[in-house]
Amino acid sequence: MKIKTLPYLFVCLLTIVILSSGCNKSGSDASLATINTYPVIGAVTATSAQAYAYATSAGGGTISAVGICWSATNQAPTINDSKVSRAVDTVNFALSLTGLSPNTTYYVRGYATNQAGTAYGNTVTFKTNTSTFVLTATVSTFTGTGTPGYVDGLSAVAQLSYPLAMCADSQGNIYVADFYNNVIRKVTPAGVTSTYAGNGTLGYVDGPAATAEFNTPQGITIDAQGNLYVTDMGNSLIRKISSAGIVSTIAGRGYTGYADGTGTAAVFNVPSGIAVDGSGNLYVADRGNNVIRMITPAGVVTTLAGITTAGQIDGTGTAAEFNAPVGITYDSKNSILYVADLNNNAIRSVTPAGVVNTVIGSNLISSIIGAPWGICVDASGNVYATDINGRVLELSTSHILYSLAGTSGTAGFVNGTNASALFNSPRGICVNSSGALYVSEYSNHAIRKIVLTTTP
């Protein structure tokens, strides 16, 4: 199922067409509108849920009604089944479904009505929770004191300075791009923090990890052999830290721009997230260029998807558009990339062939995802993302969107469960082999740990 999300300007123009009474046509002249249902359901409980849809065409007429319809028995629900509508003031909308039955499968479609009749989107299927289901996200402080600094040691005394991306190795160690300290930190499962690479001086030096220099490292990932890869944002470089502790440069010239090529012939512009697949190919969210780059093990850099123009268009290769892609992760189970598309308030997917789809989100309904920054995926294919407005989110393999912890728009440094826990600009996120989540907090200068438990 392919979702096509329109550029912001076109959506605005479409909204004008939809709302304009001057565009009325007779029923015989108008065609049906076109509407799509997002393949994600949010805020699922035993008796309610939230569904999302968007119109892509008014069909040559004027849309007079939009909404969501659903049924537990009709696999192609219509407005004759249960429905909820909203004012025709936007083409992108979210609506709550209420009065549902626990532990029941439902079929959902968006709809739009104009002079020609009612058009329906694709059908999305989901199941409500049981009446006893509880998802608990328990948040604790893993390391960091809440004060910026550069101190190694136990979690109670260790200090970081504006930490960003993280990754985990097979032993449960966490590696952190410590942004303002210009180093890569390592945190053991016991919470002991040390400096893994970099000497704390802003610069550009390859060589042994202890004497190497970085310039505001932002993204980090690890391969199966234990090699780390870092987006050295301030240097506009992609660096490698071998498992033997040697730092080298893989790609980039040391200045900003946009060019494909091999090694130092390639140029990046604010390289941010980075991911690696099982074949050793690297993928970089080149934020300043609004593209996704691919780097082969031989150091050949190409553009996998996107163009330098900012927008939100699904498509293949250069037909797709992003707006400040910042986080990226590789789902080895399904051989797909997920991208946190920051300024589009969206999660996008990219296939190995460069086919881009919007999983969920739009800058017109920004409250759903918020401002996604970090993104990771577990061994089962569940996707986790941070919203820098204060939340940690999960998109399950069943396409259910959960707000796991934190509250959007409320900053703090509070441990606890679910919405009672508070974050301050959560950025990086990773998951270890046991399923525990780790979240870096840019403004709390700390790493938080989240343990998920469920009651059937």
Side-chain angles (χ1 to χ4, degrees):
M1 175 172 54
K2 179 178 179 181
I3 295 180
K4 178 83 171 179
T5 304
L6 303 180
Y8 179 74
L9 176 60
F10 185 76
V11 170
C12 292
L13 294 174
L14 176 59
T15 303
I16 294 171
V17 171
I18 290 173
L19 302 180
S20 173
S21 59
C23 294
N24 286 346
K25 291 188 177 184
S26 68
S28 60
D29 293 334
S31 56
L32 289 173
T34 303
I35 190 165
N36 289 287
T37 318
Y38 279 110
V40 172
I41 301 293
V44 175
T45 71
T47 58
S48 63
Q50 191 171 56
Y52 318 101
Y54 60 98
T56 59
S57 169
T62 301
I63 293 180
S64 57
V66 293
I68 302 287
C69 55
W70 69 92
S71 173
T73 56
N74 184 3
Q75 297 187 20
T78 71
I79 55 176
N80 294 321
D81 296 299
S82 299
K83 71 177 187 295
V84 60
S85 61
R86 62 159 295 141
V88 188
D89 56 0
T90 181
V91 295
N92 246 305
F93 55 91
L95 289 170
S96 295
L97 320 182
T98 59
L100 308 181
S101 299
N103 199 30
T104 301
T105 298
Y106 283 93
Y107 307 94
V108 176
R109 292 202 294 180
Y111 71 86
T113 302
N114 68 3
Q115 298 96 314
T118 299
Y120 297 95
N122 46 293
T123 300
V124 175
T125 304
F126 77 99
K127 192 174 185 178
T128 52
N129 295 336
T130 63
S131 56
T132 58
F133 176 84
V134 177
L135 172 60
T136 303
T138 302
V139 180
S140 60
T141 300
F142 186 54
T143 193
T145 63
T147 301
Y150 184 19
V151 177
D152 287 335
L154 298 175
S155 59
V157 299
Q159 291 184 331
L160 305 96
S161 188
Y162 301 94
L164 289 177
M166 299 179 299
C167 64
D169 67 16
S170 57
Q171 287 77 46
N173 299 299
I174 304 300
Y175 300 88
V176 184
D178 197 357
F179 189 63
Y180 273 21
N181 282 326
N182 301 299
V183 296
I184 304 303
R185 311 291 285 277
K186 176 182 177 180
V187 190
T188 69
V192 179
T193 301
S194 61
T195 299
Y196 188 75
N199 61 18
T201 300
L202 184 152
Y204 171 36
V205 176
D206 283 338
T211 57
E213 293 179 1
F214 298 87
N215 185 347
T216 56
Q218 182 159 332
I220 190 168
T221 193
I222 189 168
D223 66 17
Q225 290 73 45
N227 302 299
L228 292 170
Y229 302 90
V230 177
T231 54
D232 193 3
M233 190 193 74
N235 285 321
S236 301
L237 300 172
I238 311 303
R239 315 281 291 277
K240 176 182 178 179
I241 309 170
S242 73
S243 57
I246 302 299
V247 179
S248 59
T249 298
I250 292 177
R253 292 186 195 174
Y255 58 83
T256 61
Y258 178 40
D260 287 335
T262 300
T264 57
V267 185
F268 299 86
N269 186 2
V270 193
S272 297
I274 188 168
V276 62
D277 67 18
S279 300
N281 298 299
L282 296 171
Y283 303 91
V284 177
D286 195 359
R287 181 182 176 188
N289 284 322
N290 298 304
V291 297
I292 306 302
R293 314 288 286 277
M294 176 178 171
I295 309 174
T296 69
V300 179
V301 180
T302 56
T303 298
L304 178 64
I307 55 176
T308 54
T309 300
Q312 188 176 357
I313 296 180
D314 289 344
T316 302
T318 56
E321 291 182 3
F322 299 87
N323 193 346
V326 63
I328 191 168
T329 190
Y330 181 73
D331 177 6
S332 59
K333 182 179 178 65
N334 299 297
S335 300
I336 196 169
L337 292 163
Y338 289 99
V339 178
D341 197 1
L342 178 65
N343 289 347
N344 281 326
N345 309 112
I347 303 298
R348 316 285 292 280
S349 65
V350 187
T351 70
V355 179
V356 178
N357 283 302
T358 297
V359 179
I360 185 66
S362 161
N363 54 14
L364 296 182
I365 42 175
S366 59
S367 61
I368 299 173
I369 296 294
W373 185 280
I375 192 165
C376 68
V377 61
D378 66 18
S380 299
N382 299 297
V383 179
Y384 305 91
T386 57
D387 169 6
I388 62 176
N389 295 320
R391 296 181 300 165
V392 178
L393 308 169
E394 177 188 355
L395 179 60
S396 74
T397 55
S398 301
H399 304 290
I400 304 298
L401 182 65
Y402 296 99
S403 181
L404 295 178
T407 300
S408 181
T410 302
F413 193 177
V414 178
N415 290 324
T417 59
N418 302 94
S420 67
L422 295 180
F423 301 88
N424 194 350
S425 192
R427 299 295 180 99
I429 188 168
C430 69
V431 58
N432 68 11
S433 57
S434 64
L437 295 170
Y438 297 87
V439 176
S440 67
E441 286 191 271
Y442 187 77
S443 297
N444 277 333
H445 315 285
I447 308 299
R448 313 286 286 280
K449 181 178 180 179
I450 304 177
V451 175
L452 302 177
T453 56
T454 57
T455 301

